[in-house]
Amino acid sequence: MIENAPESTAMADSPSPDMPAAEFRRYGKTLIDWVADFLENPRQYPVLASGQPGDLHRRLPANAPIEGEPMEKILQDFNRDVLPMVTHWNHPRFFAYFSISSSAPGILAELLTAALDVNAMLWKSCPAATELEQSTAAWMLDWLGLPSAWFGMIVDSASSAALQAVVAARQRAEPESRSVGQSGRLVAYVSEHTHSSVEKAAITAGIGRSNVRHIAVDAEFGMSAAALAEAIRLDLSGNLKPFFMAATVGTTSSTAIDPVPAIAAICRQHGLWLHVDGAYGGALGVLPECRHFLDGVDLADSFVVNPPKLMTVPLDCCLFYTRSPEAVRAAFALEAEYLKTDVRGAVDYTDYGLALGRRFRALKLWFVMCYFGREGLAAILRRSLKMAAWLGEQISGSSQFELAAPVNMGLVCFRSRQGDDATRELMNRINNAGMFFVSHTALNGRFTIRVAIGNIRTRWQDVEELWAAISKP
Ligand code: PLP
């Protein structure tokens, strides 16, 4: 018997210890107002966090409160201590990494998601979550003009999707690997510009870093198909087993596009799993004028699009597709007694990946797709592309700077004609002023500034003022 168990039903029926509904309504309204002000006037905040490492940590008490605190105080502390150390990713002047945005419909969906607190692990654990995931994934395939028969699901990140692809490919190449581990002869191929998440996936899947080949790229940073064919030939002659290849549509450093049709032909010839990383560039296939970016993707074994990057869906939400769900399932499914259901003919998504607990991510994707529609999304994408093209024109027309890569998507890569030190100084000057945030990469071994345009609230004026900041003497 449990000590101190309630003796009367009156005690058992006491109100929930959660925040009372009236208080929730009050602070809910306050916070919705806060978010609306933020979205209406994001430029009131500096894009970059201020402070030094450890500042917030020092300001917070060493231990969590013993007694609960009033919401008023929590919000005060948020505004005073936390907010200044927030880097505003959802800011129209955030041009670093791949800029992202969280649109209003996506934010509202997140509120519902948190309230429902659904775990989308099995169909039975929440049929709506599973079926909305199936439908939104299929809708996106339709918008991108990709095979409708593909299996689609939503995972947290492109990194997790890459891991699922590598493990499924390992399963197909060496089915016994699930029981006894892989042979040590499997070899994976990426380009010099493939996102590091793919190599990390190969390391995590036990392929071994020394079994990941980095294939050379051409002058525009797309993978050389000839170099890939040669690398595979060498590995085959060394009695190794080429099994996995990652091509990219929109590389992180320069939005280069690997020659997917040629790569697909090589993969088919040698039986490699072809994973196409469209985490950034994939969504641009919605635009008829950019649909050719996805040429050859229909030949892939798996494909990834990350809707937070260009589609205004709040982090996190990553679409993972495969033509071979049976390989993914064979790699990941394990039947635990407590997860068995009597439902037949439904998908249990937990069988297709590492995570058991899965957020109801489809809800925000559904809200965003329905609210903007395909044409609304196309207009959002075109706006970013036009701004990037304009900035690219200013740079290529200037005597101070040069473009470091073609501007084919929403990213502008450039450098000072005076060399790496001058480029680095320029980046630091822009970022230290606090009005804009840009990031960098290395292209052909040279320090390069990246300006990624993709936030839904970025205006022409933001980009014009950024150009003024870049070009001011
Ligand atoms: N692939 C590309 C092309 C990326 O640019 C990124 C991140 O920016 C990733 C994969 C990894 O994405 P995630 O952060 O969702 O794991």
Side-chain angles (χ1 to χ4, degrees), residues 142-160:
D142 174 53
W143 282 7
L144 297 177
L146 289 171
S148 59
W150 278 4
F151 172 94
M153 67 188 289
I154 301 177
V155 295
D156 60 346
S157 63
S159 303
S160 297

Side-chain angles (χ1 to χ4, degrees), residues 124-157:
K124 194 162 189 172
S125 73
C126 184
T130 298
E131 296 195 12
L132 211 54
E133 190 162 333
Q134 290 175 300
S135 291
T136 47
W139 288 1
M140 194 62 199
L141 282 180
D142 174 53
W143 282 7
L144 297 177
L146 289 171
S148 59
W150 278 4
F151 172 94
M153 67 188 289
I154 301 177
V155 295
D156 60 346
S157 63

Side-chain angles (χ1 to χ4, degrees), residues 97-98 156-162 193-198 248-253 277-281 304 306 309 315-318 450:
Y97 311 113
F98 275 132
D156 60 346
S157 63
S159 303
S160 297
H193 281 274
T194 305
H195 192 269
S196 55
S197 55
V198 179
T248 308
V249 174
T251 59
T252 311
S253 278
D277 178 356
Y280 171 74
V304 159
N306 214 338
K309 289 207 192 323
L315 272 174
D316 53 4
C317 177
C318 184
R450 295 169 73 265

Side-chain angles (χ1 to χ4, degrees), residues 272-289:
L272 274 73
W273 180 287
L274 172 59
H275 176 67
V276 177
D277 178 356
Y280 171 74
L284 292 171
V286 168
L287 299 174
E289 64 272 29

